[in-house]
Amino acid sequence: MELAALPQRLTVDLARTAVVVVDMQNDFCAPDGWLASSGVDVSAAAAPAAALERALPRLRGSGVPVVWLNWGNRPDRANLPPGVRHVYDPDGASTGIGDPLPNGSHVLELGSWSAAVVDGLTVDPGDLHVAKYRMSGFWDTPLDSVLRNLRVDTLLFAGVNVDQCVLATLVDAACLGYDVVLVEDLCGTTSPEFCTEATVYNVRQCFGFTTTSAELLAGLPA
């Protein structure tokens, strides 16, 4: 596939490509999820869902595997170091990882509503699911093994937050030798706009390439 991208045009082998969708889950994107319950406006996090719903069926139809990489912790939180737990509950008195929400779910817990893909996105039975426990999806998870077994070496990145978990996973992927492409409008963030601008700049400058879903769909076989 010929793909318009920045900083330069790409030729992508679809047989060796996968799309990694990061953290498009209820706790980050739903109006009654964890972030929203703590007062965060999650509309920007939910925004990529419509474009993803258009793009993913076309990618699947071209043989590109879809990997849902969602934050999903052990219920006992035994694998989480203190530093990770502190980031999400800095005063020790807020609603942190594993704590109950008003809706009865537990924050970012594997198998719970909190870790499930947000409504509005269709999950295909052939899609793959990997749970992560850090900003990066490569630490302490089978993500690298799954991708190696798929025989892919090019990764299309989507999801939230683009400046946090998406970027951390993309950087680790680049360091592991994958070719990485950030699909800008398939990503979102609740951070200020300058965080997105810095992320896009650094991806183009240091790690890989950026494109849009329009360019991606235009390049796919009919």
Side-chain angles (χ1 to χ4, degrees):
M1 176 180 69
E2 296 296 320
L3 178 61
L6 291 172
Q8 64 193 63
R9 191 173 182 84
L10 301 176
T11 301
V12 176
D13 183 352
L14 292 175
R16 298 173 63 182
T17 300
V19 55
V20 179
V21 185
V22 182
D23 288 348
M24 290 298 296
Q25 63 192 84
N26 287 319
D27 261 357
F28 296 129
C29 303
D32 50 349
W34 177 40
L35 286 190
S37 71
S38 64
V40 176
D41 179 2
V42 298
S43 57
L52 274 164
E53 189 68 1
R54 291 190 296 270
L56 292 181
R58 289 284 308 280
L59 287 164
R60 292 187 190 101
S62 296
V64 177
V66 176
V67 180
W68 299 94
L69 180 66
N70 283 10
W71 202 305
N73 293 297
R74 291 168 53 104
D76 61 10
R77 297 174 283 191
N79 65 320
L80 290 182
V84 172
R85 296 181 65 172
H86 166 77
V87 166
Y88 298 101
D89 184 11
D91 61 3
S94 303
T95 304
I97 294 175
D99 290 336
L101 292 169
N103 63 17
S105 187
H106 288 78
V107 173
L108 301 180
E109 186 173 292
L110 183 64
S112 72
W113 174 89
S114 292
V117 174
V118 70
D119 286 347
L121 287 172
T122 302
V123 179
D124 190 85
D127 293 348
L128 296 102
H129 300 263
V130 176
K132 69 181 182 68
Y133 325 102
R134 305 285 192 278
M135 288 286 184
S136 170
F138 282 100
W139 285 94
D140 196 25
T141 80
L143 180 59
D144 188 49
S145 296
V146 168
L147 295 172
R148 302 291 182 191
N149 287 334
L150 290 172
R151 302 294 191 266
V152 301
D153 53 25
T154 298
L155 303 180
L156 307 173
F157 278 93
V160 296
N161 282 310
V162 68
D163 55 314
Q164 298 173 18
C165 291
V166 177
L167 179 61
T169 307
L170 179 149
V171 169
D172 278 351
C175 291
L176 286 167
Y178 294 96
D179 296 321
V180 297
V181 183
L182 182 73
V183 188
E184 293 182 49
D185 61 312
L186 299 187
C187 296
T189 186
T190 55
S191 303
E193 178 61 27
F194 65 80
C195 297
T196 298
E197 293 172 356
T199 298
V200 170
Y201 174 86
N202 281 321
V203 169
R204 295 174 184 168
Q205 181 76 9
C206 303
F207 303 110
F209 306 88
T210 69
T211 190
T212 67
S213 64
E215 298 292 356
L216 187 60
L217 295 179
L220 289 175

